[in-house]
Amino acid sequence: MMKHTIKLLPFFLLLAGANAFANNGNGLVLCDTQPNGVVDEFDTPLEGVGVLFSGQGSTITDTNGYYYFKLPAGVATYDVSLDAATLPSDATIVSPVGGIGSFTTNDQYTVPVDFLIDSASCQKPPQAGCWMTGGGVKFEPLVGEPLAKHGPKDTLGGVVYPACNSSPSDGGQWNHIAHSVKEHYQAFDIHTVRCGNVDDHPVGSESPVTPFNFIEWEGTGRLNGIHGNKTSNDMVHFFGRAEDRNEPGSEGPADGGDIDRYYLRAWIMGPGGTQIELFCVDQDGDCSTVDPVAISGGNLQLHYSSCE
């Protein structure tokens, strides 16, 4: 299921409905998860951070990292900064430069001020031994639909986060060939987000024995056109999820609820922090929620190894 849409990052949505936010101070406080020094969708919101306004007191960020402050009516400029006592002890403020931003109110709208924090606690540690392989997978987007004999299919495969080390092969390599749009997506700088177990399904996998049956991962890579398509982009962002629901593999509709499932979203960053969506594999077509599709063949295999 392919989509070609343009989406905005949540913190830029604060600009929508400008009159509703007249004379309000708004923004986000984020941890630089990669770290790469720029605000992007990989960053982690920080809850409970104190935000200080010049002459207007303070507030704290909510569970999603947002802060909000009501400012007096009229045209004015206010400095905004963070309370260092509420940040990780090793934190440095990457942006705004100098750790101080400013709001200028004009009775119409206020541009949000977002803070980006660098700290060792921001970086996502690898989950010990959690990794995944898959290969030769072809699928149709509808559960229970038999594999087509002719026409476009999606083919995917590779390895995500091999062994226990985050660095070998830059976290692995994942390939997704979308034949219907003649594009090859290749993620090669991969980070495991988390592993866990699907609700209402037996915990773990049996061959080999692992404590998990799903993995989520993110990374960057490139897009190349195929079969005459000249499209090319060298900075594509990816988020994927694979569910290893059956051993030793998926045999299609006969497996019922045990069919392996898969989700992938790919996008590039546009002007002003917009996300330009390139590609999406999702059951209901709404890629803002993760709803993996059932694959019709092949195998998505989770692995687990002991790590010191």
Side-chain angles (χ1 to χ4, degrees):
M1 187 173 296
M2 317 303 173
K3 294 180 61 185
H4 296 266
T5 58
I6 297 178
K7 296 185 179 181
L8 297 178
L9 288 172
F11 43 88
F12 286 98
L13 293 177
L14 294 171
L15 294 173
N19 291 334
F21 293 100
N23 292 339
N24 293 334
N26 305 277
L28 269 172
V29 180
L30 298 164
C31 246
D32 194 9
T33 302
Q34 289 284 49
N36 56 12
V38 298
V39 174
D40 58 35
E41 55 287 322
F42 298 133
D43 296 328
T44 305
L46 284 178
E47 179 183 4
V49 174
V51 184
L52 311 174
F53 289 80
S54 57
Q56 300 298 320
S58 64
T59 186
I60 62 172
T61 57
D62 64 17
T63 56
N64 296 311
Y66 288 97
Y67 67 89
Y68 167 90
F69 202 87
K70 182 67 177 177
L71 300 174
V75 178
T77 299
Y78 302 90
D79 288 337
V80 58
S81 59
L82 302 183
D83 181 357
T86 63
L87 296 173
S89 59
D90 66 338
T92 57
I93 301 175
V94 178
S95 63
V97 176
I100 300 176
S102 64
F103 290 96
T104 299
T105 61
N106 62 4
D107 288 330
Q108 291 184 348
Y109 63 88
T110 301
V111 176
V113 174
D114 302 315
F115 289 87
L116 184 64
I117 307 303
D118 184 26
S119 167
S121 62
C122 295
Q123 299 172 30
K124 296 177 181 177
Q127 293 203 17
C130 167
W131 56 294
M132 186 265 290
T133 57
V137 180
K138 300 177 182 179
F139 68 91
E140 300 299 327
L142 299 178
V143 175
E145 193 73 16
L147 190 65
K149 294 181 179 179
H150 304 287
K153 304 179 183 71
D154 278 30
T155 308
L156 53 118
V159 57
V160 169
Y161 217 111
C164 304
N165 193 331
S166 61
S167 61
S169 303
D170 293 322
Q173 186 176 106
W174 190 257
N175 295 276
H176 187 116
I177 301 175
H179 297 280
S180 61
V181 292
K182 299 180 180 180
E183 291 175 346
H184 177 192
Y185 300 85
Q186 185 178 37
F188 50 78
D189 183 7
I190 299 173
H191 305 270
T192 297
V193 175
R194 63 177 180 140
C195 284
N197 286 285
V198 179
D199 292 338
D200 302 320
H201 193 81
V203 172
S205 303
E206 297 178 358
S207 176
V209 175
T210 69
F212 307 120
N213 57 39
F214 80 75
I215 184 172
E216 293 180 345
W217 51 272
E218 63 190 11
T220 55
R222 59 176 171 255
L223 172 147
N224 291 313
I226 58 174
H227 307 313
N229 181 0
K230 302 301 183 182
T231 301
S232 179
N233 194 298
D234 289 331
M235 183 50 71
V236 178
H237 297 269
F238 296 89
F239 177 84
R241 175 178 169 119
E243 297 179 0
D244 182 9
R245 289 170 167 253
N246 190 42
E247 301 300 337
S250 176
E251 300 299 331
D255 288 334
D258 289 335
I259 303 173
D260 289 350
R261 300 190 183 192
Y262 173 75
Y263 169 96
L264 185 71
R265 179 173 174 254
W267 68 97
I268 58 175
M269 300 304 298
T274 56
Q275 294 185 19
I276 303 174
E277 191 166 283
L278 301 176
F279 173 78
C280 176
V281 176
D282 183 84
Q283 181 62 42
D284 61 9
D286 178 7
C287 282
S288 64
T289 59
V290 179
D291 303 298
V293 302
I295 65 173
S296 299
N299 187 24
L300 300 175
Q301 179 67 65
L302 261 69
H303 305 269
Y304 186 83
S305 302
S306 297
C307 298
E308 293 297 332

